[in-house]
Every structure is written in C-alpha cells, then in structure tokens.
Amino acid sequence: MPIQSECRNRIANLQRQLERKELDGALVIYPIDLYYFAATRQNGMLWVPQSGEPLLLIRKSLTRARQESCITELRPFPSSRELSGLLGRPGQKVGVTFDVLPAAQLDYLKKVLPEREFVDISGINRNLRAVKSALEVARIRHAGEQLSKVFAQVPDFYTPGMRELDLAAEFESRSRKLGSEGYVRMRAYNQELFQGLLVSGGSANQPGFFDGAVTGCGLSAASPHGASTAVIAPNLPLMVDYTAVHDGYIVDMTRIFVPGNIHPEVQHAFDTALKIQRQVTAALRPGAVASELFDLACGIAAEAGLGDCFMGVPGEQAKFVGHGVGLELDEMPVLAKGFDVPLQENQTIAIEPKFLLAGHGVVGIENTWAVGPEGGIRLSPADDAIVTLPT
Amino acid sequence: MPIQSECRNRIANLQRQLERKELDGALVIYPIDLYYFAATRQNGMLWVPQSGEPLLLIRKSLTRARQESCITELRPFPSSRELSGLLGRPGQKVGVTFDVLPAAQLDYLKKVLPEREFVDISGINRNLRAVKSALEVARIRHAGEQLSKVFAQVPDFYTPGMRELDLAAEFESRSRKLGSEGYVRMRAYNQELFQGLLVSGGSANQPGFFDGAVTGCGLSAASPHGASTAVIAPNLPLMVDYTAVHDGYIVDMTRIFVPGNIHPEVQHAFDTALKIQRQVTAALRPGAVASELFDLACGIAAEAGLGDCFMGVPGEQAKFVGHGVGLELDEMPVLAKGFDVPLQENQTIAIEPKFLLAGHGVVGIENTWAVGPEGGIRLSPADDAIVTLPT
C-alpha cells in the first residue's frame, strides 16, 4: 500500500526534526495530525520516538484504527498508570503542538507523563505538512477536478431570484455527491468555515471575522460568514468561493458569475486579477520569496489603479494573496507581508487575488497550485472566465 | 432588544460564579463562548471583571462586532503593551476555559498579562451554558421545527438505488435552504461532525471514533463518519441522525426509514426505543439524577431482551442515552453512567435510545427535549414512527 511508505517517510522526516531539535520524541494527538502521520483519524495518540518504531494507542475505535493505520505497533489505550512506561521515560524532552493542544490536555500529559519537559513543535509540524508528496498533490488535484465539475454546472442550477443560500445549498449538494467530505479543517484558533462563501453584490462589503478578503453576511451572528438569505442581485458579481475535501485534502477555488451584464469596472478588476494570477503563478518556483510574490501582486493591482481595494475595502484590506492548503485550509506558506521565506517544491498554495469594488461587490479568481520547477502547477482545472447567468 | 437582557443575565451569572470561586475576572476567547456572552462571534476577547462592566476587544471585525454585540464597552484590540492595563491588574486570579484554550494561547496570555494566576473555569462555563433561557429554548425549538420538515420530506426525495451519500446530500441541501447554518460545533478535543450520520444496514456495524452508538463508514479514513458511497440496502433500517443549526443553536434528531419490509426484530427494538423515550422523558424533571435515567433506559432494554446491543455492538456499547445540546452538540448534562447530578429546569437534552441488531443495522429514535416541571418538553415535533420507503 502506498500509504504505508508515505507514513514511513513522514515519520522519518519528523524524527529528523526531533533529532535536530534534540527532542527525545513527539506525541501526535490532534486528529488531523494523527491522520497525517498514522493514516487514521481515530481517537488516540501516536508516540514517535527520536529513533525506532512509533507506537499508536487508540481509545476508539481500535478495530477501525487496525483497518486503516500504517502503524504496526498499535494497542488499546492503556491506563494512566501504564502510560508513562510506554512513552519514553522521565527526564526526556517531548514535542507536542501547542498551537492546537488545549491547556487542559497539556496538564493531563504533565500528570500522566511526569518529569518530562514538553516542547512546542507547532512550527515543525506545519513546515513538514507544507511540503506535499506526489500522492498528496494527486489528492488535491482530484479534489480540484471534482470541484471544477460543480463550478461548470452552476449555469444549469442557477435560476433568477434565488437567494445566496439556495444556490449555496445546490452547490454543496452536488459537491457532496461527487464525494466531498464537507468538513473543512482550519488550524487557527478563531477561524471556521462551512464549505465556502457564496456572496452576491453588496453582501461582499459586510466585514467579518474571517481571515480573507471577503466574509459574507451568513445566516446569523452565530454563523456570520458565507451565504445569506439575500436574493442574488442582477448585474452585480456573484462570488462563489468554495472548497472540496477528498481523502481529507482540501482544494480552494473561486469563480465569478454575473446574472445579466458585466460592468466595465468589474471586467477591468477581473482582468487585473487574472494578470496577478498569471504573474504570481509563473513565479511560483522553489526559492521564490513568499512576501515578494505578495508585493508583486500589490504592484500589479496598484498599476491598474486598484491598489486601494485589493483584498478588501479600504482600511480593512487583507495583507496576503495566497495561503497554503492541504489537510487544513490555513497551511503554510502564506503569500503575505512579512513571510520572507523561500518557497519549496510541492508546497500547495491557493492564490486568490480579489478586489472589493464600491457599488459592485467582489471580483477575483482563485485556484490551487503546486510549487513547481517551471512555475505553479495548476490543480483546479475549471475555466477562469466570468460566466454570465440569465436575469 | 431581548438579546441585550439575555447577555446581561449571562454575564451576571458568570460574575456570581467568579465571586463564589474568588476569581477577579474571566477572559472569554473561544468563539462560541464569546457569542454566548457577547452576542457576537467576531475574533476578539471579552474581559468580565468579578463586578462592573465587561470590556470587549475586537481584532476583526470591529464594525461587525459593533452591529451585533450587546457589550457597550467595545474597542479595537490594543497592542500587547496596552493589554495589561485594560484587563484587571497584576496579582489577580483570572478564569479561562482550559478545555478549549490552546497551550500556545495560554502562554501568550501569561506573557501579555504578567503576574496573573490563570484558573480553569471550563466547568463553570459548561454548567452555566447547560441551563437555557426561554429565548434559547425557543431557538432550539425553531431548529427542531425546521429539521422536522426535512424529515417529513424524505419519502419525496428518496429513490431506490440511492447511495447513503446521495440521500445525505439531498437532506443537507433541504436543511440548508430552511436556514440551517450547517457548522456543528463540538467541544470535545477529538470529536467532529459534518451535519449528521446517515447509515444504512451493515454500515452501522463499522465502529469509529465518534462518541455515540453509531459512527458510519464515511467517505475516507480522513472523514470516517456518516454517509458512505454504499447503496442504501432494501429491507434493512436506514438511520438518519441529523442536526440543524439556527442562530447557533443545535437540534439533534434521529428517524428510521426502511425501504421495503420491516423485520419483526427491527420493529421490536424500535418499540423498545420508544418505550425508553417515553419513560425517560416522563422523568425528565428538575432533581432527577442523570445516571439514574441511564439506568432506567438500560433496565427497559434488558427487560426486552436487548441489553447486550443497547447503544452499540456487544463490547463497544456507549454508556449513555442522552446528551446536553445547545450551542455545542456535546453540552452538559449527559445521561450516563457516573453522572450522579440532578437535572435542572431548562436544560436541553437529546435522548437517543438505539440498538445495534446483528444482521440488521441500527434502530432507534432521537428527539431533543427541555427539562420541565412535568417532565420533558419536546422540541422536535416530527412523527416518531418508522417510515417505509419503496424498493
């Protein structure tokens, strides 16, 4: 099974980092991290010593973890008393991901694994996860192909007078039938997303918690993002920014639809977004500096006279043009101000130049790419052009 | 606005608990907790001193928080340097919810708020949230009414030969159009749910990470719960266990459909589930002990000769028959072994007696109830009976 050699590689990479940081081992607990390193997302804990065989302890379901996992040392979760004897020994330094491990869980670990020093390996984990294998790139490509089919069908299921929510529900339903798992994981503490954002005309100007150019109105203050019950407006851009999740891997795409006539300002901003996409992705090679690609995008926006509405309304502009994507929607690297790091081959990045046009709404494009030696390799094939819809 | 007096009450209740525990204040950060106490789920932090006015600091979006929140002292998030001067003072004891606060966030708080002692108030928060106001009960009832409409429509959109996934997608789409926000929040570290579980026949026997009687196969090892691509089996029970989320409030319901003939064993188990529902909900009054209601349910199951398949296959039986539900799917109280606590009026609880029948699949019922002086008050009106579908 290819997944077994995958997991072996991933664990070997982690062990190399543990050695470099002089850590004796790592405990992998967060569900999607467990899936990455052990090929199962059951409820349990993976112990990865600096060298030697990892040990997977499962609370629920042991049966299912045995079916799925690539880890051969696999046992039912032991009593708290037994745990310390199984996972290294007192005096050791143990890595855990402080970015997602609740304080109560860390207190529990300190109790059941006494005399260890726990060290944050969030950065190590994010950097390992950022560079994809061929299998991972293929999974994102598969997700991109499936989601592209749904985008292509929009003219078939759009009817004039629909609310944002109606079109979102139809879109989601088709994506699900094509195999999207739906559940979009985000790592940042204050972020969440239900599948995507479908935002028409003025809805785009409603600011929100979401770390992107657009949030949308959503359905209530409890879920203030994405589609609302507003009717999709004629002659204004409709942004469909959606994910699909296959085998845990997320693809992220945006297309613009206009019921009726495309205003020249809308077309100009859209053409500028395409130009940004073209130039940024041409530069999406190993060694390119993430923050410089953001600067490149800002320069093209400014040159087109659209600098002050790039990635947000004036005063609330997001300071990025792309983000890593994989098992989580907010992976490394980010093409953003301050990210002065070189890209690596097979990092996968959603690039989403967008403009917030006063009186129109949001216009832009988003596709998911792999960093390649000759520039970005596209993983989301749907046609980019604005699609007009009937009014 | 009623939400303003709601939030005032909620904050006053929290302040009473802070006083009782001799804490000087609490920091509310987790998005859904912020929504509960401040009526907005923007990205920020609410400071609740033991007495006096709370202060809401917002990272993004300040504009939206101002539109939504009931908190009058509302400011843009200050610099780390200013923070300490705004939130109490050195030497104070500050409550935070360790159950969901990442260790990295706690480290950040310790840095920007030096010389405070941070104390876990997860239990206080959960207990406050468990008892609902009239408005909260009304919101769950509204969610129950909407979700009941979708359940009633299943015979209209089911067609023989559908896969679990197809029916799930149709169900989800209708629920969304009726206003469900979709995103189901769970507090437990290792749990997640995408809207619901739709499980036919033998799929019910696939064990999994989910803390319930049934998990389902799901679509991959990354998302191993809920609907799979298996075709819905004739003459076997199809369990549709779904949530709807309105204004953040979750209702949880299960109905059984059978394409074709209902086997007498299936009907017997279903009748037993109804009997458990009847007797447990009749006892759903203030003062009733949660664990005793679980014992009551187990007794009825045993009496019907179904004790060893109640809430799971033999050896993997879940040790509960109901769970609190509200802004999160896994709220307090739990009707479970070991929960020797008295119920309180207006706690809202999903009660879900289920049987895993070898050779058949899963059979049971689930509705959401409020604890009332005369017994459980039903919040999910759809008819309980098994519905037969064409084959």
Side-chain angles (χ1 to χ4, degrees):
Chain A
M1 259 177 90
I3 195 65
Q4 278 161 341
S5 60
E6 284 275 321
C7 286
R8 262 198 304 276
N9 285 344
R10 293 173 191 177
I11 284 168
N13 288 339
L14 174 59
Q15 288 178 322
R16 257 191 297 280
Q17 293 298 319
L18 296 175
E19 195 182 345
R20 218 168 61 84
K21 299 274 180 183
E22 299 181 349
L23 299 177
D24 298 292
L27 272 174
V28 179
I29 314 176
Y30 198 57
I32 202 61
D33 297 340
L34 198 67
Y35 175 70
Y36 181 74
F37 287 109
T40 185
R41 168 268 171 272
Q42 299 301 307
N43 184 349
M45 197 184 274
L46 176 70
W47 166 245
V48 181
Q50 195 201 85
S51 64
E53 284 303 304
L55 171 64
L56 180 56
L57 304 173
I58 292 290
R59 284 197 190 85
K60 187 170 185 293
S61 150
L62 185 67
T63 310
R64 187 120 177 210
R66 286 210 169 108
Q67 291 165 16
E68 296 170 344
S69 186
C70 53
I71 306 291
T72 47
E73 272 293 316
L74 201 163
R75 304 190 198 180
F77 209 88
S79 69
S80 295
R81 228 168 351 95
E82 293 169 281
L83 209 51
S84 183
L86 287 169
L87 308 182
R89 53 176 190 278
Q92 289 191 329
K93 282 171 124 174
V94 177
V96 286
T97 51
F98 281 35
D99 60 348
V100 291
L101 189 79
Q105 298 280 334
L106 183 57
D107 285 349
Y108 160 78
L109 291 180
K110 286 177 177 169
K111 207 180 82 187
V112 295
L113 299 175
E115 296 170 55
R116 269 77 161 182
E117 182 188 344
F118 292 96
V119 177
D120 187 11
I121 55 166
S122 305
I124 289 175
N125 179 60
R126 296 197 80 166
N127 288 333
L128 286 175
R129 289 257 304 273
V131 179
K132 271 69 176 179
S133 69
L135 179 72
E136 290 183 285
V137 173
R139 285 178 167 181
I140 298 174
R141 189 193 296 274
H142 173 73
E145 286 163 355
Q146 300 309 309
L147 188 58
S148 290
K149 291 181 194 166
V150 187
F151 275 107
Q153 290 168 26
V154 170
D156 304 333
F157 59 81
Y158 170 81
T159 53
M162 265 184 157
R163 303 170 303 165
E164 291 176 357
L165 180 60
D166 297 322
L167 190 64
E170 294 291 337
F171 192 97
E172 291 160 11
S173 158
R174 282 165 179 80
S175 181
R176 284 279 281 155
K177 288 184 188 175
L178 289 171
S180 176
E181 296 160 358
Y183 193 86
V184 180
R185 296 179 178 95
M186 294 190 76
R187 202 160 188 98
Y189 183 56
N190 277 303
Q191 296 298 304
E192 57 195 18
L193 177 74
F194 183 72
Q195 300 192 70
L197 307 171
L198 191 146
V199 174
S200 160
S203 294
N205 297 319
Q206 173 68 295
F209 74 94
F210 195 70
D211 283 339
V214 176
T215 300
C217 295
L219 294 171
S220 77
S223 189
H225 69 289
S228 75
T229 54
V231 171
I232 294 170
N235 305 314
L236 292 177
L238 164 68
M239 179 192 80
V240 183
D241 178 352
Y242 259 73
T243 63
V245 188
H246 292 253
D247 285 307
Y249 286 87
I250 303 170
V251 72
D252 195 0
M253 297 173 66
T254 300
R255 293 295 182 272
I256 302 293
F257 300 83
V258 178
N261 301 316
I262 305 173
H263 191 282
E265 278 184 46
V266 167
Q267 189 65 54
H268 171 61
F270 184 75
D271 293 341
T272 307
L274 287 187
K275 188 174 178 187
I276 292 172
Q277 171 177 273
R278 215 157 41 234
Q279 295 201 21
V280 169
T281 59
L284 210 63
R285 300 166 189 230
V289 176
S291 58
E292 291 176 6
L293 296 186
F294 176 65
D295 293 341
L296 172 63
C298 291
I300 299 166
E303 199 178 280
L306 294 166
D308 63 349
C309 63
F310 182 50
M311 300 306 287
V313 291
E316 300 213 12
Q317 289 171 275
K319 294 283 182 289
F320 79 105
V321 71
H323 55 91
V325 67
L327 293 171
E328 291 169 314
L329 187 64
D330 50 348
E331 297 203 347
M332 291 291 122
V334 191
L335 304 188
K337 206 174 144 81
F339 277 76
D340 302 323
V341 293
L343 300 184
Q344 297 174 61
E345 191 168 351
N346 286 331
Q347 290 179 329
T348 44
I349 305 177
I351 295 178
E352 49 172 331
K354 287 173 184 164
F355 296 97
L356 270 284
L357 300 179
H360 296 286
V362 59
V363 186
I365 187 76
E366 181 174 27
N367 285 294
T368 300
W369 308 76
V371 176
E374 314 292 326
I377 298 162
R378 185 164 171 150
L379 305 176
S380 46
D383 191 70
D384 285 343
I386 297 181
V387 174
T388 56
L389 299 171
T391 51
Chain B
M1 258 176 88
I3 195 65
Q4 276 162 343
S5 59
E6 285 275 319
C7 285
R8 262 198 302 276
N9 284 343
R10 293 174 192 176
I11 284 169
N13 289 338
L14 174 57
Q15 288 179 320
R16 258 193 297 281
Q17 293 299 319
L18 296 176
E19 193 181 347
R20 218 168 63 84
K21 298 276 180 182
E22 300 182 346
L23 298 177
D24 299 291
L27 272 174
V28 178
I29 313 177
Y30 198 57
I32 202 61
D33 297 340
L34 198 66
Y35 175 69
Y36 181 73
F37 287 109
T40 185
R41 166 271 171 270
Q42 299 302 307
N43 184 349
M45 197 185 275
L46 176 70
W47 165 245
V48 181
Q50 195 201 85
S51 63
E53 284 302 304
L55 171 65
L56 181 57
L57 303 173
I58 291 291
R59 282 197 192 86
K60 187 169 185 294
S61 150
L62 185 67
T63 311
R64 186 118 176 210
R66 285 208 168 110
Q67 291 165 15
E68 295 171 345
S69 185
C70 54
I71 306 291
T72 47
E73 271 293 317
L74 203 163
R75 303 191 201 180
F77 209 89
S79 70
S80 295
R81 228 169 351 95
E82 293 170 282
L83 209 52
S84 184
L86 287 170
L87 309 182
R89 54 176 190 279
Q92 289 191 330
K93 284 172 121 173
V94 177
V96 287
T97 51
F98 281 36
D99 58 349
V100 291
L101 189 79
Q105 297 280 335
L106 183 56
D107 285 349
Y108 160 77
L109 290 180
K110 286 176 177 168
K111 206 180 82 187
V112 294
L113 300 175
E115 295 170 59
R116 269 77 161 181
E117 182 187 343
F118 292 96
V119 178
D120 186 13
I121 55 165
S122 305
I124 289 175
N125 180 59
R126 296 198 80 166
N127 288 333
L128 286 175
R129 290 257 304 272
V131 180
K132 270 69 176 179
S133 68
L135 178 73
E136 291 183 284
V137 172
R139 285 178 167 182
I140 297 174
R141 188 193 297 276
H142 173 73
E145 286 164 355
Q146 301 309 310
L147 189 57
S148 289
K149 291 181 196 167
V150 186
F151 274 107
Q153 292 168 24
V154 170
D156 304 333
F157 60 80
Y158 170 82
T159 54
M162 266 182 156
R163 304 169 303 164
E164 291 176 357
L165 181 60
D166 298 322
L167 191 63
E170 294 291 338
F171 193 97
E172 291 160 10
S173 157
R174 282 164 179 81
S175 182
R176 285 279 281 154
K177 288 184 188 175
L178 289 171
S180 177
E181 295 160 358
Y183 193 86
V184 179
R185 296 179 178 94
M186 295 191 74
R187 201 157 188 99
Y189 183 56
N190 278 303
Q191 296 297 304
E192 57 194 19
L193 177 75
F194 183 71
Q195 300 194 68
L197 307 171
L198 191 145
V199 174
S200 160
S203 295
N205 297 319
Q206 173 69 298
F209 75 94
F210 196 69
D211 283 339
V214 176
T215 300
C217 295
L219 293 172
S220 78
S223 189
H225 70 287
S228 75
T229 54
V231 171
I232 293 170
N235 305 313
L236 293 176
L238 164 68
M239 179 191 81
V240 183
D241 178 352
Y242 260 73
T243 63
V245 188
H246 292 252
D247 286 307
Y249 286 87
I250 303 169
V251 72
D252 196 359
M253 298 173 64
T254 300
R255 293 295 182 272
I256 301 295
F257 301 83
V258 177
N261 300 315
I262 305 173
H263 192 281
E265 280 184 45
V266 167
Q267 189 66 53
H268 170 62
F270 185 75
D271 293 341
T272 306
L274 288 186
K275 189 175 177 186
I276 291 172
Q277 172 177 273
R278 213 156 44 233
Q279 294 201 21
V280 169
T281 59
L284 209 64
R285 301 164 188 232
V289 175
S291 59
E292 290 176 8
L293 296 186
F294 175 63
D295 293 342
L296 171 63
C298 291
I300 299 166
E303 199 178 279
L306 294 166
D308 63 348
C309 63
F310 183 50
M311 299 306 287
V313 292
E316 299 213 14
Q317 290 171 275
K319 295 282 182 291
F320 80 104
V321 70
H323 55 91
V325 67
L327 293 171
E328 291 169 315
L329 188 64
D330 50 348
E331 297 203 349
M332 292 289 124
V334 191
L335 304 188
K337 206 174 145 78
F339 277 76
D340 302 322
V341 291
L343 300 184
Q344 297 174 62
E345 191 167 352
N346 286 332
Q347 288 179 329
T348 44
I349 305 176
I351 296 178
E352 50 172 329
K354 289 174 183 163
F355 297 96
L356 269 284
L357 300 179
H360 296 287
V362 59
V363 187
I365 187 79
E366 179 174 27
N367 285 294
T368 299
W369 309 75
V371 176
E374 315 291 327
I377 299 162
R378 184 166 171 149
L379 305 175
S380 46
D383 191 68
D384 285 342
I386 297 180
V387 174
T388 56
L389 299 171
T391 50

